[in-house]
Amino acid sequence: ELYLVAINGSGKDSYFIAILALYLLCCKKRNKIVITTSDGKQMYNQTFPAMKSFAEAINKKLKDEGFATEDFIDVKFGEISSNQTGGIIHAFVTDDAGRAEGYHPFADEIESELTLIINEAKTVKAEIFQAFRRCNPYTRYLCVSSTGTDSGYFYEHAVKSITYPAPIDPKKPYARYITSYDCPHVSPDLIERDERELEPWLFDSIHRSRFSS
């Protein structure tokens, strides 16, 4: 169980969710990856396009190097799959807990894994998290978001988790915070300017991944 708390613009969709989901689809047998959020703009403009772009790059690479003559990954909106591995990615937007239930590993493959990802988790209702908990047995349960207010399901579970760089305990939730100082593409001059000009709570939220009231 992982809580990734990362600043806006750090690449949560492009460098974490997309690459993780496509790796699990392509490199493991009969994997199921379920990704949801309550933010349609996030899914339609960032999460799914990032996965689609990465999938197309994989298809092209395999064809160019002679490993495949047809697409290794099939991309349809809301669903990415591979006939070669038998895996599938479900990606959807919902505020309905009923839509987030009922996902389980494939019964026909003993090594099948289920990965659950909640994106922009700060905006997701507690009922959705609870519904995902019913999707047993899952292998990975990942909540990804920038910070918001110091309340709600995502906040409460992130702050009580073991925090990087402390050692991981597989039996306990783990959290990692990504700040502007971790991102080489964020200008030190911008950070310095914002620290001078912004209220401390806003600066901490934007650059230090801290929750605020």
Side-chain angles (χ1 to χ4, degrees), residues 175-190:
R176 180 156 186 181
Y177 291 75
I178 303 299
T179 72
S180 293
Y181 304 97
D182 299 313
C183 299
H185 64 280
V186 178
S187 165
D189 292 338
L190 173 63

Side-chain angles (χ1 to χ4, degrees), residues 10-21:
S10 59
K12 297 184 293 295
D13 294 272
S14 300
Y15 298 110
F16 182 68
I17 294 176
I19 292 176
L20 172 63

Side-chain angles (χ1 to χ4, degrees), residues 190-208:
L190 173 63
I191 298 173
E192 183 180 334
R193 186 203 69 188
D194 283 354
E195 190 167 20
R196 287 195 315 268
E197 297 180 359
L198 299 178
E199 294 182 59
W201 70 267
L202 181 57
F203 176 82
D204 286 347
S205 177
I206 292 172
H207 292 290
R208 290 179 173 153

Side-chain angles (χ1 to χ4, degrees), residues 5 15 40 62 93 125 142 163 177 213:
V5 188
Y15 298 110
L62 292 175
V93 178
K125 296 177 180 178
L142 311 174
T163 303
Y177 291 75
S213 63

Side-chain angles (χ1 to χ4, degrees), residues 24 47 86 112 210:
L24 293 172
T47 312
S112 178
R210 292 182 182 172

Side-chain angles (χ1 to χ4, degrees), residues 152-165:
Y153 189 102
F154 178 67
Y155 162 76
E156 291 168 3
H157 286 72
V159 297
K160 70 182 182 183
S161 299
I162 298 172
T163 303
Y164 176 87

Side-chain angles (χ1 to χ4, degrees), residues 9 18 25 27 36 41 49 56 61 73 91 98 103 109 113 127 129 133 137 165-166 172 180 182 191 209 211:
L25 176 74
C27 299
T36 193
K41 183 174 69 173
E56 290 171 347
K61 179 79 170 175
I73 303 167
Y103 292 97
E109 173 53 58
E113 297 176 353
E127 291 84 353
F129 293 94
R133 294 284 190 175
K172 296 180 180 179
S180 293
D182 299 313
I191 298 173
S209 276
F211 294 92

